[in-house]
Amino acid sequence: MSAKSLSLIAASTALAVTALAGCAGGQQSQPQSGDTRFVAGDGKVQVFDAASRTKAPPVEGTTLDGATEKLGSGKVYVLNFWASWCAPCRAEGPVLKDIAAKTKDKGVQFLGVNFKDQKAAAQAYDRSLQPGYPSIFDQAGRLLLSFQGTVPPAAIPSTLIIDGQGRIAARALGAVKYNDLLAAIDKVTDERG
């Protein structure tokens, strides 16, 4: 192999390791303003008291398959921010898929938001996982930035539960745990009583 080929392989490997390491960082390493590293939290779901919940910003965009999707009113939504290159995102994919199927009869709707990703890679991952719910392709991360203050702009994966009144009811930074997310969804859906 030529020196140039070895140099390209080394540079590609270093870039991949840096991207994955940034994605899998801990809560204590949350970036400061202007820092573009991707980091994840511990996946714990924090449910907010109904009285302290804030209205979710509008969420609308074109999905990976070219349709238009947006958050409506009167439903509980689970909004998940992900990227195909993020190892914790890929690890939580089957969890989200299973819970989406399990809670669909309760009227819960899941919506993914894919960002900072290549569209072809995101589509390939989505076809492979077949999550059963759509994902908006938001390469520039505008939707995630609209949640600044609730979700750090570099936190990936992140999951939000939006209550039936369109307010942010719960948040998880990092790959979610099955029982924790299911319990939080049940709590929020039970509020509609």
Side-chain angles (χ1 to χ4, degrees), residues 35-61:
D35 190 344
T36 58
R37 292 177 300 140
F38 286 93
V39 296
D42 58 13
K44 291 182 182 173
V45 180
Q46 177 184 7
V47 179
F48 303 114
D49 291 330
S52 65
R53 293 178 187 166
T54 58
K55 191 84 171 153
V59 174
E60 183 173 0

Side-chain angles (χ1 to χ4, degrees), residues 2 4 35 54 66 95 126 128 138 147 154:
S2 72
K4 185 175 181 180
D35 190 344
T54 58
V95 169
D126 199 58
S128 171
D138 182 38
F147 283 93

Side-chain angles (χ1 to χ4, degrees), residues 117-134:
D117 207 346
Q118 298 299 314
K119 191 171 191 178
Q123 289 170 323
Y125 175 73
D126 199 58
R127 279 191 304 273
S128 171
L129 179 63
Q130 298 183 4
Y133 58 87

Side-chain angles (χ1 to χ4, degrees), residues 76-80 108-111 159-162 181 185:
V76 172
Y77 285 89
V78 177
L79 193 62
N80 177 257
V108 177
Q109 187 169 335
F110 276 58
L111 179 62
T159 303
L160 299 174
I161 300 173
I162 311 297
L181 181 60
I185 292 170

Side-chain angles (χ1 to χ4, degrees), residues 38-101:
F38 286 93
V39 296
D42 58 13
K44 291 182 182 173
V45 180
Q46 177 184 7
V47 179
F48 303 114
D49 291 330
S52 65
R53 293 178 187 166
T54 58
K55 191 84 171 153
V59 174
E60 183 173 0
T62 303
T63 63
L64 290 170
D65 63 5
T68 298
E69 193 69 44
K70 68 179 182 177
L71 295 188
S73 59
K75 289 184 180 181
V76 172
Y77 285 89
V78 177
L79 193 62
N80 177 257
F81 296 94
W82 65 279
S84 66
W85 48 262
C86 171
C89 300
R90 292 172 86 79
E92 77 174 357
V95 169
L96 296 170
K97 176 182 178 174
D98 191 58
I99 294 175

